[in-house]
């Protein structure tokens, strides 16, 4: 099964106090995900956005671990 995803790096787009969400994008793909600003503190939402933006790096690290264990 082939997995398709937007390659990294992903980054958090500009965010302002007036925004209702934090958006995550990549080169050529301005919007990958939105983290809505509700129900939790702004600091928690910023950390959630950082985690989502790190997804391609986390996937690469996991693949590296899997390959080294199965070798």
């Amino acid at each position: 099964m082939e997995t398709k995803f937007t390659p990294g790096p992903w980054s958090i787009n500009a965010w302002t106090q007036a925004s209702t969400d934090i958006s995550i994008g990549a080169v050529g793909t301005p919007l990958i995900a939105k983290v809505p600003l509700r129900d939790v503190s702004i600091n928690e939402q910023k950390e959630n956005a950082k985690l989502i933006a790190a997804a391609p790096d986390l996937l690469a690290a996991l693949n590296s671990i899997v390959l080294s264990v199965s070798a």
Side-chain angles (χ1 to χ4, degrees):
M1 183 169 102
E2 182 182 344
T3 302
K4 295 182 181 183
F5 62 93
T6 303
W10 293 1
S11 61
I12 297 171
N13 294 336
W15 175 82
T16 65
Q17 290 288 345
S19 296
T20 58
D21 53 52
I22 300 172
S23 62
I24 293 122
V27 175
T29 307
L31 182 62
I32 293 171
K34 284 186 177 184
V35 179
L37 299 178
R38 60 174 185 251
D39 300 332
V40 296
S41 71
I42 185 61
N43 289 335
E44 187 173 342
Q45 292 303 76
K46 286 180 181 178
E47 295 305 314
N48 289 338
K50 289 178 188 177
L51 180 60
I52 293 168
D57 295 329
L58 295 171
L59 177 61
L62 180 60
N63 283 335
S64 176
I65 291 168
V66 169
L67 290 174
S68 68
V69 169
S70 60

